[in-house]
Amino acid sequence: MVSFLKLVSILIKCRAKTILALSQNSFRQILRSLTPVPDGRTSNLSDTRIIYVNRSVQQQISFRFENITSLLDHPDFDLQKPTVFYIHGYVEIASDASVLHVMDAYVKRGDHNILVLDWANLAFGNYLKVVLNVKKVGKESGKALGKLLNNGLSIDGLHVVGHSAGAHVAAVVARVLKEKGLTLLRLTGLDPAYPGFYPAIDTHPISSKDAVFVDIIHTDGGKYGTPFSTGHADFWPNDGKSPQPGCPTVTLILTKENFCSHWRSWQYWAESVVGGNFVARNCANYNAFQKGNCSGTARMGLQATPELRGDFYLRTASKEPFALDDTGVA
């Protein structure tokens, strides 16, 4: 570890002499991949939690699977509102900006119950081990949601959203509910993880069979994200590949900068939650999009509608706000 940290220091000092994008936080993901479990957590499935985000991202209450139904007794949990269940990705924790950014968007929107699956205790360390944890985390999470549904939560208002490996956890959740006769109306994958799922090592990846409407946003296809159409509606901003606009073109693998395009998916999603208008066109491929050989339009993000089928392309800005409205398909 000492030699690795020395290497980090050397690389950062050399940053000004090269075109390599690095920052003080560049190696966080790498360090987490070398950490079996976050501080204060255990690798037991019983330490996985569901977090209820109340009136701000700072107001969070954690529930273990075994006592999840007590969530329904919280005075601010409104059974008349739709509920979003968000699932983070590999080596992420619930207090990361990636999770808080999405949650804050829903808080600002103000019309959802907000739940987060905190599976950081099983999402750290060796990637292969984490891939093998996906199915068991998804199964127990699905059982927990089933308890909520059996005690008053409406399946019609439940929307499960997963980023990266979390998208495949979300798919397992949906399958568990379907086995109980409860079919999700909507399941969303944000740049679903590619390595370990194509071909599948243990868990079948997210697909259009998992819910009535499955929409996917691709931003790093062929690298960290899946390069295939897997939903009813697949959205490909900027061809769904890296580098996304505003992301560095030269990076070190597994650094924060290297994840930039992969993380654009949740940034685009969060912006759509607060009203960002990501207009896309239904096209055969990006070449057809660039030539204008497309059919109708749709909206990427929360505003995507369940009748959509096919592949949709658009352009985005290089910084927030990313949505370009109609300009993104002009």
Side-chain angles (χ1 to χ4, degrees):
M1 182 66 73
V2 174
S3 60
F4 175 77
L5 293 176
K6 285 183 178 179
L7 175 61
V8 171
S9 177
I10 292 170
L11 286 170
I12 292 175
K13 288 178 181 178
C14 292
R15 177 188 175 203
K17 300 178 182 180
T18 70
I19 60 172
L20 193 64
L22 290 174
S23 67
Q24 291 296 326
N25 207 27
S26 290
F27 297 91
R28 186 190 71 178
Q29 306 304 100
I30 298 176
L31 291 172
R32 287 181 175 184
S33 72
L34 299 173
T35 305
V37 66
D39 289 343
R41 303 292 293 276
T42 70
S43 57
N44 296 322
L45 189 58
S46 60
D47 194 28
T48 305
R49 308 159 185 178
I50 291 178
I51 296 174
Y52 170 47
V53 180
N54 195 4
R55 300 180 184 181
S56 76
V57 293
Q58 284 75 40
Q59 294 183 336
Q60 300 184 6
I61 305 172
S62 292
F63 296 86
R64 302 297 177 98
F65 290 151
E66 62 267 23
N67 69 343
I68 188 61
T69 55
S70 60
L71 163 66
L72 300 175
D73 296 327
H74 193 284
D76 290 331
F77 195 89
D78 188 349
L79 291 174
Q80 303 305 310
K81 288 183 178 180
T83 299
V84 60
F85 185 55
Y86 184 78
I87 306 175
H88 64 73
Y90 175 55
V91 292
E92 287 189 300
I93 58 178
S95 59
D96 282 346
S98 55
V99 180
L100 297 181
H101 188 71
V102 176
M103 294 306 98
D104 188 54
Y106 279 98
V107 169
K108 290 176 179 175
R109 187 177 178 88
D111 60 354
H112 281 70
N113 299 308
I114 308 166
L115 302 179
V116 179
L117 177 63
D118 176 6
W119 65 295
N121 63 311
L122 293 171
F124 266 49
N126 180 274
Y127 182 74
L128 176 59
K129 182 195 72 174
V130 173
V131 169
L132 295 175
N133 285 336
V134 164
K135 185 177 292 184
K136 63 182 181 181
V137 170
K139 284 184 175 180
E140 292 306 309
S141 302
K143 292 177 184 178
L145 280 185
K147 292 178 182 178
L148 294 177
L149 292 166
N150 289 334
N151 284 275
L153 187 68
S154 171
I155 187 69
D156 292 343
L158 179 60
H159 182 187
V160 181
V161 182
H163 172 247
S164 192
H168 304 303
V169 175
V172 177
V173 169
R175 292 164 199 160
V176 170
L177 294 178
K178 186 177 286 190
E179 289 172 359
K180 297 178 180 292
L182 300 164
T183 301
L184 277 179
L185 294 188
R186 187 172 182 185
L187 172 65
T188 297
L190 305 179
D191 211 34
Y194 182 40
F197 297 95
Y198 299 91
I201 293 175
D202 183 56
T203 304
H204 186 74
I206 187 171
S207 79
S208 58
K209 298 178 182 179
D210 295 323
V212 173
F213 178 54
V214 178
D215 58 316
I216 309 290
I217 296 177
H218 302 267
T219 55
D220 193 30
K223 294 185 178 179
Y224 297 121
T226 300
F228 314 116
S229 301
T230 59
H232 293 106
D234 287 75
F235 291 87
W236 305 85
N238 313 296
D239 202 19
K241 300 176 182 178
S242 65
Q244 289 287 304
C247 289
T249 55
V250 181
T251 63
L252 283 178
I253 189 170
L254 296 178
T255 58
K256 174 184 176 182
E257 291 74 21
N258 191 235
F259 279 96
C260 179
S261 294
H262 190 43
W263 289 350
R264 276 288 194 262
S265 58
W266 56 256
Q267 291 176 307
Y268 296 158
W269 182 263
E271 188 173 317
S272 79
V273 169
V274 292
N277 190 25
F278 291 91
V279 180
R281 288 198 184 279
N282 188 196
C283 310
N285 50 52
Y286 196 60
N287 185 52
F289 170 75
Q290 291 178 312
K291 293 180 177 179
N293 298 330
C294 305
S295 52
T297 61
R299 297 176 71 186
M300 180 184 80
L302 186 62
Q303 295 80 15
T305 50
E307 78 282 355
L308 296 176
R309 296 293 184 273
D311 294 290
F312 298 84
Y313 293 83
L314 68 154
R315 286 182 293 270
T316 69
S318 60
K319 60 183 180 179
E320 293 183 287
F322 293 108
L324 295 175
D325 301 293
D326 292 329
T327 305
V329 294

